[in-house]
Each structure stands twice: as C-alpha cells, then as structure tokens.
Amino acid sequence: DVKVTQSSRYLVKRTGEKVFLECVQDMDHENMFWYRQDPGLGLRLIYFSYDVKMKEKGDIPEGYSVSREKKERFSLILESASTNQTSMYLCASSRQGWANTIYFGEGSWLTVV
Amino acid sequence: AQSVTQLGSHVSVSEGALVLLRCNYSSSVPPYLFWYVQYPNQGLQLLLKYTSAATLVKGINGFEAEFKKSETSFHLTKPSAHMSDAAEYFCAVRVGQNFVFGPGTRLSVLP
C-alpha cells in the first residue's frame, strides 16, 4: 500500500513563528502536493512539485514556501505564521501520468494563536 | 479552466436508502475523474476513478459512478446506505499533473 506520512497530526504555534510541516511518501512518486482544507472551501492547492528541487505555485501560495531536496520528502514552510493560516493541511503524492491516483496523508491540524 | 461542481453541500439519507451524490465537471479534454471519501479527522481515500475504460465504474464499499459525457457528469451512487458511509465526499478531475477538487458533499445517514 502507498503510504504518505505527515510528521505532525496536531500543532499549536504562535503568531510569527516559523512552522515546518513535513511529508514523506514511500512509493517513489514523482509528484507531491500540499493542500489546505477549510470548511466550505474544499481543498485548495498551495504548492506542488513534479521532481526534486522543482516546485510550482498552486492557487494560494502566499505566505507559504516549500522544499523538496529528496524525492520522497516534501516540506511546507510557513515563514511567519498568522492566525488566518489555522487550517487542516493535507500532503499528497502521485505518479506522473493522466490516469494515476493521488494518495493523501492523514492531515496536519495547525492552530495559530 | 477545468472545474468541478458538487450540487448539495450536505445530503441526508436514511439507512438503507439510495445514496446519490452529484458531480459535474468542465474540461476541454477527455477527463480523468475521481471520487474520494474523507472520514472525520482523516485524509482522503480513493473510492473509484474513471479513466475512459468503461463508463460505469465500480469502487470500494459498494459505491459506483457513471460517466456521462453528454451531461458532463460523474454522479456517485450506492443502492443502500449504511451508517458507516457518513463522511465527506469529494469529486476531482485530473488537470495535467494536478488535480482540481470539488467543494465536497457531507453525507449524513439517519437511523
């Protein structure tokens, strides 16, 4: 089975802190994604990466950055956390190719106080 | 631009009743379509996917969906709802290497 692991399920951070959300996949997938999920808004893409050291902005990249130094790991960074970044963050991965499925991690609940 | 709409943010059915969750897409190319389910405090799990092999797609847990090109729809159905089906359901379309998700439909199953 494909495994996408997010290192932290629940985090509480203070406004202005730098926050790292880590994600690891074990299926040698080329593509990795970070989504944000908010009630009534569904999933919104923050960033995605189709190869090591490559990244593309999604729909809502402002206030976020990402890092992909190794194929299996994709990190989301909040440079200076703000209360409006309180949300559920979902990491996902997939193979390249139209018919391939996207697999999700369990999610990270971030609260910024 | 490709997009996905799901009619009804919240659907309630009685246990044993038919489940119908609606999904319509817009796509300029033949679509690859997916349904995902999310249980409380968990990530999304794949229910089924359409990749042009057959218009009626069967998935896990008794769910199925039918691709109708003329209606640009990919509605999800299950003949008989079970309490364990209570969750949020997302329809998605693949766009290049990316995925576009609908806003989700929360399914409640009443005893």
Side-chain angles (χ1 to χ4, degrees):
Chain A
D1 282 352
V2 175
K3 186 80 171 174
V4 179
T5 303
Q6 295 183 229
S7 57
S8 303
R9 289 298 312 276
Y10 302 96
L11 305 93
V12 179
K13 299 292 182 181
R14 295 192 182 279
T15 300
E17 274 193 79
K18 191 169 186 177
V19 181
F20 292 86
L21 299 180
E22 306 287 344
C23 176
V24 177
Q25 51 95 1
D26 66 356
M27 285 301 293
D28 201 36
H29 285 172
E30 295 86 2
N31 299 334
M32 295 190 74
F33 308 81
W34 276 105
Y35 289 90
R36 173 176 171 162
Q37 183 179 15
D38 299 288
L41 298 177
L43 277 71
R44 294 180 292 168
L45 181 65
I46 305 172
Y47 270 96
F48 72 99
S49 169
Y50 53 87
D51 201 353
V52 175
K53 297 190 185 294
M54 305 300 288
K55 61 184 179 183
E56 294 282 342
K57 292 181 180 179
D59 300 319
I60 53 164
E62 295 78 18
Y64 304 94
S65 62
V66 291
S67 173
R68 194 165 181 202
E69 297 296 320
K70 294 185 177 181
K71 190 174 186 179
E72 67 271 18
R73 188 179 297 270
F74 193 36
S75 303
L76 180 69
I77 304 154
L78 286 66
E79 296 290 343
S80 178
S82 63
T83 55
N84 63 12
Q85 292 179 309
T86 291
S87 188
M88 164 80 132
Y89 291 88
L90 290 164
C91 177
S93 72
S94 77
R95 290 204 182 282
Q96 292 184 354
W98 282 90
N100 288 303
T101 303
I102 185 170
Y103 296 90
F104 284 86
E106 292 284 290
S108 297
W109 282 100
L110 172 65
T111 301
V112 182
V113 298
Chain B
Q2 284 83 353
S3 66
V4 176
T5 56
Q6 292 182 241
L7 186 62
S9 60
H10 189 197
V11 171
S12 292
V13 300
S14 298
E15 191 172 19
L18 171 72
V19 176
L20 170 61
L21 304 180
R22 299 178 186 274
C23 171
N24 288 87
Y25 68 91
S26 66
S27 174
S28 58
V29 298
Y32 290 94
L33 295 159
F34 304 78
W35 273 102
Y36 284 84
V37 60
Q38 185 180 34
Y39 299 104
N41 299 319
Q42 294 186 23
L44 279 68
Q45 302 172 33
L46 179 70
L47 275 177
L48 50 81
K49 66 179 181 181
Y50 167 75
T51 58
S52 75
T55 56
L56 183 62
V57 182
K58 294 187 184 299
I60 62 171
N61 302 338
F63 283 93
E64 62 182 37
E66 186 173 10
F67 171 68
K68 291 187 176 180
K69 185 178 179 180
S70 60
E71 299 178 6
T72 60
S73 69
F74 190 56
H75 301 331
L76 182 71
T77 60
K78 182 174 180 177
S80 176
H82 191 272
M83 297 296 289
S84 61
D85 294 326
E88 189 148 20
Y89 293 80
F90 292 91
C91 184
V93 61
R94 182 133 195 186
V95 179
Q97 296 302 320
N98 200 352
F99 294 77
V100 174
F101 287 84
T105 297
R106 182 166 298 280
L107 175 67
S108 297
V109 181
L110 308 174

